[in-house]
Amino acid sequence: MPWIDKKICTGCLMCVDECSVGAISMDEDTAFINESECIRCGVCHEVCSSDAVRHDGERIPEEVASNLAWATALLEHAYYLNDKKKQKELIDRLQRYFIKNKKVMEKTIERLENLQNTKYAD
Ligand code: SF4
Ligand code: SF4
């Protein structure tokens, strides 16, 4: 999912004009991508001469930090606080939750590869 770095965006409107599905609008002076409208065509990456349209992969550290902040907030909830056994059980549950998500992603990637090699092959 492309995203726009507001610190870099100059508000030139090029991506807004070129997005064929109208997924980009202005939020004050910078562009903003509506995730639910975006069809992942990549055109906004190509037309932005400021490199303000960024790739998903750059958000990995931010997303990991967000997951850890969530886990830490849970661990510090009154229900878990000062109870090592409950905290350990929670960490186990959270690990299982993220392992499940990883499996969903791996299976999805596998299915997409199959589609690429069958139904959508050249
Ligand atoms: S093309 Fe780039 S700089 Fe111009 S509005 Fe879009 S994101 Fe901002
Ligand atoms: S990837 Fe395509 S559809 Fe999505 S915001 Fe950019 S130009 Fe619009």
Side-chain angles (χ1 to χ4, degrees):
M1 174 74 207
W3 57 281
I4 291 167
D5 188 333
K6 291 189 171 294
K7 295 190 296 297
I8 304 175
C9 175
T10 62
C12 72
L13 295 177
M14 192 65 87
C15 60
V16 177
D17 292 342
E18 294 296 325
C19 177
S20 63
V21 293
I24 311 178
S25 54
M26 294 304 284
D27 177 18
E28 295 182 355
D29 293 335
T30 53
F32 169 79
I33 297 175
N34 181 338
E35 284 192 24
S36 60
E37 300 288 326
C38 174
I39 58 166
R40 313 281 176 111
C41 66
V43 166
C44 50
H45 286 286
E46 291 162 22
V47 299
C48 181
S49 55
S50 306
D51 260 355
V53 183
R54 313 301 303 176
H55 293 275
D56 240 2
E58 292 177 64
R59 282 188 150 166
I60 292 172
E62 185 188 317
E63 288 181 20
V64 171
S66 163
N67 289 337
L68 283 173
W70 174 54
T72 304
L74 289 177
L75 285 161
E76 289 178 3
H77 186 280
Y79 180 80
Y80 296 103
L81 209 58
N82 301 323
D83 189 326
K84 296 281 179 210
K85 184 171 177 287
K86 280 184 183 171
Q87 287 170 339
K88 185 181 177 313
E89 286 168 356
L90 173 62
I91 290 172
D92 285 345
R93 277 196 295 279
L94 290 173
Q95 284 178 319
R96 285 198 299 277
Y97 168 74
F98 284 109
I99 287 167
K100 184 275 275 178
N101 284 351
K102 182 179 166 189
K103 284 182 181 164
V104 169
M105 296 305 165
E106 285 171 351
K107 286 279 172 203
T108 304
I109 292 166
E110 207 177 287
R111 296 281 180 90
L112 284 170
E113 278 169 4
N114 287 343
L115 279 179
Q116 195 172 41
N117 296 329
T118 54
K119 191 172 177 184
Y120 298 101
D122 292 336

